[in-house]
Amino acid sequence: MLLSPRSSSLVLPHRPFRLLAGAAIAAAIAALVALVLLAILATAAGEPSRQSSVDVWHLVVMTSIQAGLTTILSLLVGTALAWALNRLRFPGRDLVVGLFASAIVTPGLIVAFGLLAVWGRAGWVNQAALGLTGHPLEVPLFGLGGILAAHVILDASFAARILLARLDAIPEKRLKTGQSLGLGAWQRFAVIDWPMLRTSLPGLAAIIFLLAFTSFPIVLLLGGGPANQTLEVAIYAAVRLDFDLRGAVTLALVQIGICSAVILAASAFAPISASTGGSTPPRWRDGPAARLAQWTVLVFGIVGFALPLLAILIDGIGPGIADVASRESFWKALGTSLALGSGSAMLTLLLALGIGMGRAASDRPVLRIGIGAPAYAYLAVPAVVLSLGAFLLVRNAGVLPETAGPVVVLLANALLSLPFALATLAPPLDAIAEKRGRLIRSLGLGGWRQFTAVEWPLIGREAGVVLALSFCFSLGDLGVIALFGTEDFATLPLLMYRALGAYRSNDAATIAALMLLITIAAFVLLPKLIGKLTDAHR
């Protein structure tokens, strides 16, 4: 029987309600995804067989090439950055580590726009070259080069933070042994560092490949035309621009198939958590040549990641704020973004807690997989594909898309964050059940008392991280709102994209700066706020 209310373990507390709640959430998510897929398949079967203009093979090749190159470049740059940060000690090191950690929540639309602000035709570099030499510096930003640059800025920083955590976890005893043997910089990397890093690289590569394969705003802004389109952008264009539903459905099925294959392959690798905590100070000092290389890598990494964000803040915070703030559409979009972000963050936390506590209440592998697996289904059904399925679902049900839009966007944003939320909360919940389950049983604590007295004080900070991640993901999302947005229902990313389409760059810069400030504030303050509230109630 799959759902037995009685745990076979003598360690885990008897928690049938948690098992049922976790299973119910998993079943609801699986049912939702199934409905979306059925809507897509039904539309594929019912649409007239007219000639579609989409070139599926070209799109698959183009998407795979950019995702593959992004993965390779991001792992190389991320490994070099992690190596440099692990060895160097300097004032502000924690700030730099936090800067790279924020890459996971920085909206791709902001990074792409920041690249234009620095390297674009009217960007800083071009203006400086024009002033110094009288000739513009033509940087081919639109096309594969620009797409790769934006992806590597985000994904290499994310990889660096994950790999730095692995290097920080090297046991002190192993380092002392290496120092007593007089290992050089390269010898230490080959003998001590590489064995720690290589176990995380396959799982990390799979995540980066999926992120790049399903990237939407960066390709939409920097693609430069049909030649560099990816599957996600082609689906959006087929629905919104060409109303070619048959072509969109075909592309969606191809994308689901490829993403599912990558996820199945990635499930064999070690999981990657989005929560990495602080970084320990370096305990190893290399020679002058290695330190010069480390400083060079670090300076290029900081400039590469921070310069586009700095350009957005400098260009966006200025007299143009008053003009943007005088428009009713801006305040409506700001209110919608904050409401959707807050709602999806709370929903994500509740779903992750329900699934995580349900998994932790059982030691049966099949039951744990059955409860946890649907949370990752969204990785196989990316934002635009889910939006397409929901769009078809509400259309077939006779509901206007603009009526269902807020609910669909809220649900989609919560599901987008759920894999990262579960990866953050599930390990500590499992550890609590394993290490303190016998004590909880002996004290006779009920499920609610177990949560408030034992679990919440220990996972409060992780819950804050989940709220911050989910809020920021929702705030920066463009993939879902792009299909459901209307004149009356728009978020800040959609408003910014419309401003760019109307050649109102100053408005777009102001909106981008505001989104970046809100993202930084949420990412930094929410975990600290929840952590302090948790400590205050201990």
Side-chain angles (χ1 to χ4, degrees), residues 139 162-163 199 279 289 340 381 384 508:
V139 178
I162 298 296
L163 296 175
T199 56
S279 174
L340 286 173
V381 189
V384 171

Side-chain angles (χ1 to χ4, degrees), residues 117-137:
V118 176
W119 299 98
R121 186 167 297 173
W124 289 2
V125 174
N126 216 9
Q127 293 301 312
L130 199 59
L132 291 174
T133 66
H135 299 284
L137 187 64

Side-chain angles (χ1 to χ4, degrees), residues 51-338:
Q51 184 69 29
S52 176
S53 60
V54 297
D55 186 346
V56 178
W57 177 244
H58 168 76
L59 290 168
V60 169
V61 171
M62 177 59 204
T63 310
S64 301
I65 287 175
Q66 75 88 7
L69 289 175
T70 295
T71 304
I72 294 170
L73 292 173
S74 297
L75 289 181
L76 289 174
V77 176
T79 301
L81 280 173
W83 170 68
L85 275 171
N86 181 254
R87 301 296 202 279
L88 297 174
R89 183 195 294 265
F90 54 90
R93 181 178 179 275
D94 290 343
L95 183 64
V96 174
V97 173
L99 179 71
F100 289 129
S102 69
I104 191 171
V105 296
T106 305
L109 186 65
I110 287 182
V111 172
F113 187 68
L115 274 177
L116 290 173
V118 176
W119 299 98
R121 186 167 297 173
W124 289 2
V125 174
N126 216 9
Q127 293 301 312
L130 199 59
L132 291 174
T133 66
H135 299 284
L137 187 64
E138 297 292 341
V139 178
L141 208 52
F142 291 99
L144 183 60
I147 294 171
L148 289 177
H151 281 157
V152 170
I153 286 174
L154 281 177
D155 296 334
S157 303
F158 168 65
R161 187 63 193 92
I162 298 296
L163 296 175
L164 176 62
R166 297 294 299 156
L167 293 177
D168 287 344
I170 294 175
E172 184 73 25
K173 186 177 179 181
R174 197 178 302 173
L175 293 178
K176 288 182 178 177
T177 303
Q179 286 176 322
S180 67
L181 294 173
L183 297 181
W186 169 246
Q187 289 171 315
R188 176 195 154 163
F189 182 83
V191 175
I192 299 178
D193 295 341
W194 180 246
M196 287 293 286
L197 296 177
R198 69 183 178 190
T199 56
S200 296
L201 289 178
L204 191 56
I207 290 177
I208 293 175
F209 184 88
L210 278 175
L211 290 174
F213 197 86
T214 58
S215 172
F216 178 72
I218 289 176
V219 182
L220 187 65
L221 194 59
L222 298 178
N228 296 302
Q229 267 190 350
T230 57
L231 286 167
E232 289 260 320
V233 175
I235 292 170
Y236 165 76
V239 176
R240 291 291 278 194
L241 305 181
D242 306 328
F243 207 70
D244 179 7
L245 286 182
R246 188 176 184 85
V249 166
T250 303
L251 294 173
L253 292 175
V254 170
Q255 178 150 2
I256 290 173
I258 295 175
C259 290
S260 299
V262 175
I263 291 170
L264 283 176
S267 62
F269 305 134
I272 303 296
S273 172
S275 177
T276 51
S279 174
T280 56
R283 304 180 295 271
W284 185 290
R285 188 179 179 86
D286 289 319
R291 289 175 63 79
L292 178 62
Q294 289 153 9
W295 276 113
T296 303
V297 168
L298 188 60
V299 168
F300 274 101
I302 293 173
V303 170
F305 182 72
L307 197 59
L309 305 185
L310 187 64
I312 283 178
L313 292 178
I314 292 176
D315 291 350
I317 300 177
I321 290 181
D323 185 35
V324 173
S326 66
R327 295 174 192 161
E328 184 184 356
S329 59
F330 166 75
W331 291 106
K332 286 179 68 175
L334 176 61
T336 302
S337 288
L338 295 178

Side-chain angles (χ1 to χ4, degrees), residues 21-37:
I25 294 172
I29 294 173
L32 178 64
V33 174
L35 278 175
V36 166
L37 294 179

